Amino acid sequence: MNRNVIFILCVVVAITGLLLIGKRGAKPPESANAAGAGNSQAASAPAQGAGDPTKGSVAPTFELKSIPDGKAIPLASLRGKAVLLNFWATWCGPCKIEMPWLVDLQKKYGPQGLQIVGVAMDDTEDKEIADFAHKMGVNYIVLKGTEKVGDLYGGVDRLPLTYYIDRSGKVVDETVGLASESVIEDAIKKALQQGN
Amino acid sequence: MKPYRLLFALCVCLLNGALLCAQDSATPQGRVFVNFVSASHVAVSPGHSVPIQFTFHVQDPYHINSSQPLTEELIPTQLHFSLPGEVALGKMQYPAGKLMSFPFDPSTKLSVYSGDFIVRGVVVAPSVASAGTYTIHGELKYQACDNNACYPPKKLPFTFNVKVGSAGRATQKARPTATSPHIHN
C-alpha cells in the first residue's frame, strides 16, 4: 500500500470515529433526568432531543403546574399508579382526536389505578388551555408543559407523544403521533399489569 | 479484487455506516417543513410603490395552517418584517387556504397551505427616502402537521433586497434571489 492510501484510510477512520463519538456524546446519562416546574431545584436540562426515555427506563421525574388550579404536581407523587403521560397542544388536531378516548379510558381504568396526565405544550395563557380542556370534557390531570420537561422526553418535537409508565415508574411503551384507541388501551393494560 | 478497490469499498462502507448513525440521532427539529423560494426584488423611486411577491414551498407530506385557519386554536401563518426607515410594506395579501380534511379527522375541513404558496404585498418608498439598496429581513411564522402528528410552531427567516432609486426615476423589477437559513423558535 502506498502512502496516499494509508492517509485516506486514516482520514476515513478518523471521520467515522468523530461521527460516532459525537452521536454518543449527544445522549446524557438517564440518571440526570430531573426537572422542576418553575425555577427552583431544576436540574440543568440536557441537550434538546437528548432525553427520550426508552422502554424499561425510569420515566424522567419533573414537577409541573396543574391547570387550572396552579398546584405543583410532581410526577413522583403518582408512583404506585399506572400513568399515561400525554404531551399535547391546543393547536394539534391529532391530539384533539385522542382526547375523548383518553376521557373514556380514564373513566374505565381509573378505578384500577390509571392516572392520565396531559402535558400541554402550548405557549399560551393557562386560561386558554383550561378553557380548551373544559370544552373537551377532560377528566384527567392537565399540566402546563415547559421546554425543560420536553427536553427530558426527547424534545417533544411532534405531538401527540404519549408515554405509558407502570406503577414502579418505568416506561413500558410509547406512541408517537396519533395512535388508535385500541393501541392506547393495550398499552394502558400493560402499564397497569407491570411494576406491581 | 485489487487491494485498492477493497480499501475503497471498506472506506465507503465505514463512512456510510457512520453517516447513518449520525442521522439516527438527528431530531425532527432540524427537519425542514417550509422553504423560502424567492422574493421579487424591486426597485422603487421615492414617493412611489411597487408590488412584491414572496414564494414559499411547503414540503411534502406536510401542510401548514393558512393565514386564516378555521378554528381559533390553530396557529395562523404570518409574515413579519424588520424594515429600514427608507422602505415600508403595505398590507400583505395571503392566498386563501385549501380546504382539506386529513386522515386523523376526515369529518373536519382545515384551511391549509401545501406545496407552493405566494404572499403578495406592496413596497413603498417615502418621498424622502435616500437612494440605495436595502436588505430587508423577513420571517415566516407557521405551524406544520402531517397526516399523523403536528410539529411545534417555527420561524423561517429570509432576506430580500429593495433598491431605492433617485427621485424621478421610473421603477423597475430586478431579478429574484433567495436566502433562507431555517431556525426554530
Side-chain angles (χ1 to χ4, degrees):
Chain A
M1 260 194 262
N2 66 30
R3 267 195 206 165
N4 285 345
V5 172
I6 293 170
F7 176 73
I8 290 168
L9 184 62
C10 289
V11 169
V12 169
V13 169
I15 291 171
T16 305
L18 285 172
L19 284 168
L20 292 174
I21 288 165
K23 181 181 185 268
R24 182 173 289 191
K27 290 239 173 197
E30 277 171 11
S31 58
N33 290 344
N39 39 22
S40 63
Q41 297 179 358
S44 60
Q48 213 168 30
D52 202 8
T54 53
K55 285 182 196 176
S57 66
V58 174
T61 57
F62 60 79
E63 185 176 289
L64 288 172
K65 211 172 59 168
S66 71
I67 290 177
D69 57 14
K71 195 177 147 192
I73 298 198
L75 182 66
S77 69
L78 303 172
R79 197 61 64 85
K81 291 190 170 199
V83 174
L84 184 157
L85 190 64
N86 174 247
F87 290 91
W88 67 286
T90 56
W91 42 259
C92 166
C95 304
K96 209 170 153 183
I97 301 300
E98 283 186 347
M99 290 176 97
W101 302 342
L102 298 182
V103 167
D104 290 346
L105 291 163
Q106 178 63 57
K107 272 185 207 155
K108 187 173 176 182
Y109 292 101
Q112 293 176 43
L114 172 71
Q115 180 58 61
I116 296 180
V117 178
V119 181
M121 299 304 285
D122 290 80
D123 188 19
T124 54
E125 298 292 318
D126 292 3
K127 189 180 178 308
E128 282 180 44
I129 298 167
D131 289 350
F132 185 86
H134 180 72
K135 195 171 80 182
M136 297 298 293
V138 166
N139 59 351
Y140 48 85
I141 296 170
V142 175
L143 304 176
K144 177 80 180 281
T146 61
E147 198 176 326
K148 203 172 268 184
V149 169
D151 286 345
L152 295 179
Y153 284 82
V156 189
D157 45 39
R158 73 191 79 180
L159 298 171
L161 172 65
T162 305
Y163 289 90
Y164 304 85
I165 302 165
D166 71 14
R167 294 173 195 270
S168 69
K170 283 185 180 165
V171 174
V172 297
D173 215 338
E174 173 192 6
T175 51
V176 182
L178 177 62
S180 69
E181 192 174 3
S182 60
V183 167
I184 296 172
E185 187 164 8
D186 287 348
I188 286 173
K189 286 178 187 166
K190 209 192 295 181
L192 284 165
Q193 284 160 10
Q194 292 181 22
N196 286 316
Chain B
M1 195 184 274
K2 286 183 178 175
Y4 291 147
R5 285 185 184 171
L6 187 66
L7 183 64
F8 180 72
L10 179 71
C11 290
V12 169
C13 287
L14 270 172
L15 272 176
N16 278 344
L19 285 170
L20 278 174
C21 285
Q23 280 171 2
D24 279 350
S25 66
T27 68
Q29 275 139 356
R31 192 178 295 183
V32 174
F33 301 103
V34 182
N35 297 109
F36 174 59
V37 178
S38 65
S40 54
H41 286 187
V42 292
V44 58
S45 299
H48 289 80
S49 63
V50 290
I52 187 168
Q53 67 177 45
F54 305 95
T55 306
F56 298 92
H57 179 75
V58 183
Q59 300 274 2
D60 192 44
Y62 307 108
H63 61 268
I64 63 174
N65 295 314
S66 74
S67 66
Q68 292 185 308
L70 301 182
T71 62
E72 61 181 357
E73 299 92 25
L74 299 178
I75 296 168
T77 293
Q78 288 176 333
L79 273 176
H80 296 279
F81 299 96
S82 301
L83 293 166
E86 309 299 328
V87 177
L89 278 168
K91 194 179 173 189
M92 292 291 119
Q93 290 183 312
Y94 295 87
K98 296 175 203 161
L99 292 180
M100 296 174 76
S101 58
F102 295 90
F104 57 78
D105 187 7
S107 62
T108 303
K109 295 255 187 212
L110 299 176
S111 173
V112 302
Y113 299 143
S114 59
D116 286 346
F117 71 97
I118 295 171
V119 182
R120 292 183 167 82
V122 174
V123 175
V124 182
S127 52
V128 293
S130 308
T133 299
Y134 299 93
T135 297
I136 297 179
H137 296 268
E139 190 174 70
L140 181 79
K141 291 185 177 177
Y142 68 92
Q143 188 268 307
C145 295
D146 57 28
N147 286 344
N148 181 254
C150 288
Y151 302 84
K154 279 194 156 197
K155 294 172 183 172
L156 171 66
F158 62 93
T159 59
F160 61 98
N161 292 326
V162 170
K163 188 176 179 184
V164 176
S166 305
R169 289 181 83 182
T171 60
Q172 56 183 332
K173 287 191 176 183
R175 60 187 163 72
T177 60
T179 53
S180 166
H182 204 98
I183 60 163
H184 317 248
N185 275 338

